[in-house]
């Protein structure tokens, strides 16, 4: 029987328990308690990174670009300002007969009057509806047909004689034919605009496909691209600038041909307004209609230039 007596275990002092904190209910139950205002103030807020100042060379380049833009704008506006000034001065000095060429200020007054009585808006709307309809149809028909003729030689051999026959026939020479067949309504006017606009679009699209860089074609064929992929990845992107050239030409033709067509048989439109003003000897109103056509043409061309820049951003900038 063992007589070893183990020493008694040291007594452990019990620590006082912290008072229980009641649990919080709601979405902030697990949130960390906010620090005190004193501790927050002790920690300095991180300072924002200092913005580097533009170097003198960068500021000089920026000023140079701004000066170039202003100089270009002034140069482009100078010729128009000189023309308008000459238009205003020549009739007042009686260098020309003011009866047949009134000063530009009188034309502006007549233009404001036509705008106020609603004639200008109604006639402009009629002309734009016809012009944009014919122009849009010419693009929808001319671009796919031009791509087809330029890419597939059998189709080109089939349609080339017809193209050579009709493209050398002036649109205005066929205006009586369109009126006889389609009447004097909207259909004949839209059709004559379509006929006049389709040739620039069609011929430029054919030329664009046929003049693609041969080096690009050889590189694409070396990658074993299928004809469809070759057409999609090489032919179409390379053709866009020339196609847009034809579209811009068609945009100008659509307005010119329509005005001539409206002078023959129409009851509304800018061509009708010009013709009626001439018959009534309202010369300032006649020039107001001519100025309106010019403004529409410039705006339409700038719109097409913007679209061309958008679709050909990978090429050199397009000069408007």
């Amino acid at each position: 029987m063992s007589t070893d007596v183990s020493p008694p275990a040291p007594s452990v002092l019990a620590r006082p328990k912290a008072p229980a904190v009641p649990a919080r209910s709601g979405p902030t139950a697990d949130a960390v308690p906010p620090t005190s205002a004193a501790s927050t103030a002790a920690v300095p807020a991180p300072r924002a990174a200092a913005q580097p100042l533009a170097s003198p060379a960068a500021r000089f380049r920026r000023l140079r670009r701004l000066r170039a833009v202003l100089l270009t704008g002034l140069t482009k506006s100078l010729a128009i300002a000189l023309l308008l000034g000459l238009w205003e001065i020549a009739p007042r000095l009686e260098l020309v007969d003011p009866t047949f060429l009134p000063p530009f200020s009188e034309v502006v007054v007549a233009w404001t009057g036509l705008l106020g009585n609603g004639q200008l808006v109604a006639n402009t709307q009629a002309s734009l509806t016809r012009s944009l309809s014919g122009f849009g149809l010419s693009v929808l028909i001319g671009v796919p047909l031009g791509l087809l003729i330029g890419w597939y030689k059998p189709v080109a051999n089939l349609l080339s004689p017809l193209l050579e026959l009709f493209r050398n026939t002036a649109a205005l020479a066929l205006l009586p034919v369109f009126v006889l067949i389609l009447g004097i309504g909207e259909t004949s006017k839209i059709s004559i605009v379509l006929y006049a606009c389709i040739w620039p679009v069609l011929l430029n699209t054919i030329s664009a496909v046929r003049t693609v860089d041969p080096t690009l074609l050889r590189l694409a064929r070396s990658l074993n691209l299928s004809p469809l992929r070759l057409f999609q990845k090489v032919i179409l992107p390379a053709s866009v600038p020339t196609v847009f050239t034809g579209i811009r030409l068609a945009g100008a033709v659509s307005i010119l041909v329509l005005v001539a067509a409206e002078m023959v048989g129409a009851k509304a439109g800018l061509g009708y307004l010009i013709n009626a003003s001439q018959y009534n000897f309202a010369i300032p109103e006649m020039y107001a209609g001519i100025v309106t056509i010019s403004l529409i043409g410039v705006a339409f061309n700038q719109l097409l230039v913007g679209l061309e820049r958008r679709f050909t951003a990978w090429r050199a900038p397009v000069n408007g």
Side-chain angles (χ1 to χ4, degrees), residues 58-248:
R59 290 199 299 268
F60 177 75
R61 287 194 299 267
R62 193 177 300 114
L63 291 175
R64 189 175 180 180
R65 285 195 298 267
L66 179 60
R67 185 180 64 178
V69 170
L70 293 177
L71 183 61
T72 303
L74 290 175
T75 304
K76 290 183 177 181
S77 303
L78 181 60
I80 297 177
L82 290 176
L83 175 62
L84 296 180
L86 181 62
W87 187 354
E88 180 69 25
I89 294 172
R92 296 192 181 280
L93 297 180
E94 296 187 353
L95 299 177
V96 294
D97 191 347
T99 304
F100 303 110
L101 183 62
F104 180 70
S105 57
E106 295 184 10
V107 175
V108 172
V109 172
W111 189 89
T112 307
L114 291 173
L115 183 63
N117 59 27
Q119 293 186 44
L120 186 64
V121 175
N123 288 294
T124 302
Q125 183 179 0
S127 292
L128 286 179
T129 301
R130 298 162 183 160
S131 178
L132 293 179
S133 298
F135 171 77
L137 289 174
S138 69
V139 173
L140 291 177
I141 297 174
V143 172
L145 185 59
L147 293 174
L148 188 65
I149 294 174
W151 184 243
Y152 294 102
K153 196 169 183 179
V155 179
N157 294 334
L158 176 64
L159 297 179
S160 290
L162 291 176
L163 297 181
E164 292 297 326
L165 175 64
F166 285 105
R167 78 183 185 94
N168 291 303
T169 305
L172 295 179
L174 295 177
L175 180 58
V177 178
F178 280 94
V179 173
L180 288 174
I181 296 176
L182 302 175
I184 61 173
E186 300 298 315
T187 306
S188 62
K189 297 174 182 57
I190 295 175
S191 299
I192 196 67
V193 173
L194 167 62
Y195 178 84
C197 292
I198 198 171
W199 300 113
V201 177
L202 180 62
L203 297 178
N204 276 273
T205 305
I206 295 173
S207 175
V209 175
R210 291 178 177 176
T211 57
V212 174
D213 190 357
T215 304
L216 295 177
L217 296 177
R218 287 195 296 268
L219 289 174
R221 290 192 177 101
S222 67
L223 298 175
N224 295 324
L225 292 180
S226 64
L228 181 60
R229 296 290 290 176
L230 176 65
F231 184 79
Q232 179 184 2
K233 296 297 183 180
V234 179
I235 301 298
L236 281 180
S239 302
V240 168
T242 308
V243 171
F244 262 98
T245 301
I247 292 175
R248 289 175 61 186

